[in-house]
Amino acid sequence: MTLLIPFQPLFRQPTWLKAQILFIGAILATGKRTVTAALRVMGLGDDPHFANYHQVLNRAVWSPRRLSEMLLALLMKVLDSDETKPLVFGIDETIERRWGPKIKKRGIYRDGVRSSKSHFVKTSGLRWVSLMWLTEIRWAERIWALPFFTVLAPSERYHEQAGRQHKKI
């Protein structure tokens, strides 16, 4: 809990209480890290107001960019004692395979897992781009990629239909 306290000013009080429950539930949940899985592991699977927890991610007012900045600073403070070595960052994109009439930002992309040099496979879904800090974790004796910022990168077709300028990755 002491690691969560620095993030409290980013949220309003009711949202902060829900965000704490979701964060701890996401750590404890096995399998997919969904809001429902986090609530179930926290004993709130039958809460009649479970939809309010979804609103932390889609309606509540808080800054994901500010949170990611604070998360990176916290990670560096806790895990990086050598300030002389250069910082190494990685970028990765992942396709979340989602279908349905309400999923508007879906696109068709090259499937990096199923494709090869000679075989091209397309898949439909949401494209997420993650920025991660690559650092050596001493007790693990290896370099870990620690994601601290992830954004949705909608397809070019979505931007055309919405009348917006497409931003390339």
Side-chain angles (χ1 to χ4, degrees):
M1 289 305 295
T2 57
L3 291 175
L4 291 180
I5 297 300
F7 301 104
Q8 185 175 3
L10 297 176
F11 300 91
R12 293 181 181 157
Q13 189 58 27
T15 305
W16 172 242
L17 297 173
K18 293 178 183 84
Q20 289 178 83
I21 290 169
L22 291 176
F23 180 76
I24 295 167
I27 291 172
L28 298 174
T30 57
K32 291 188 175 185
R33 300 301 195 269
T34 63
V35 171
T36 304
L39 291 176
R40 280 188 187 135
V41 79
M42 295 298 288
L44 298 170
D46 295 327
D47 187 339
H49 303 290
F50 73 92
N52 293 340
Y53 289 90
H54 288 271
Q55 292 174 2
V56 170
L57 300 176
N58 67 7
R59 289 193 185 151
V61 178
W62 56 279
S63 172
R65 289 183 183 164
R66 181 72 182 121
L67 189 134
S68 68
E69 180 184 325
M70 290 177 68
L71 176 59
L72 178 61
L74 181 66
L75 287 170
M76 292 174 73
K77 180 181 175 184
V78 171
L79 299 174
D80 191 26
S81 60
D82 185 5
E83 295 179 8
T84 61
K85 67 180 180 180
L87 295 175
V88 180
F89 294 94
I91 298 174
D92 185 38
E93 61 181 72
T94 303
I95 307 296
E96 178 185 5
R97 289 162 183 81
R98 299 281 303 265
W99 295 270
K102 292 186 178 183
I103 301 173
K104 307 247 185 276
K105 296 184 180 182
R106 182 173 48 121
I108 298 173
Y109 308 100
R110 177 185 180 274
D111 189 334
V113 174
R114 297 181 193 158
S115 296
S116 65
K117 287 183 180 179
S118 61
H119 185 67
F120 183 82
V121 178
K122 293 188 288 185
T123 189
S124 175
L126 299 171
R127 179 174 51 184
W128 294 93
V129 180
S130 294
L131 181 59
M132 55 203 80
W133 176 42
L134 295 125
T135 187
E136 183 178 356
I137 306 295
R138 288 189 201 96
W139 53 267
E141 298 179 349
R142 64 181 45 193
I143 293 176
W144 279 15
L146 304 171
F148 62 91
F149 189 57
T150 301
V151 294
L152 181 62
S155 68
E156 189 171 349
R157 185 178 357 166
Y158 167 77
H159 283 118
E160 287 173 5
Q161 291 172 351
R164 296 181 180 168
Q165 184 178 358
H166 177 65
K167 297 177 184 176
K168 293 185 178 183
I169 295 207

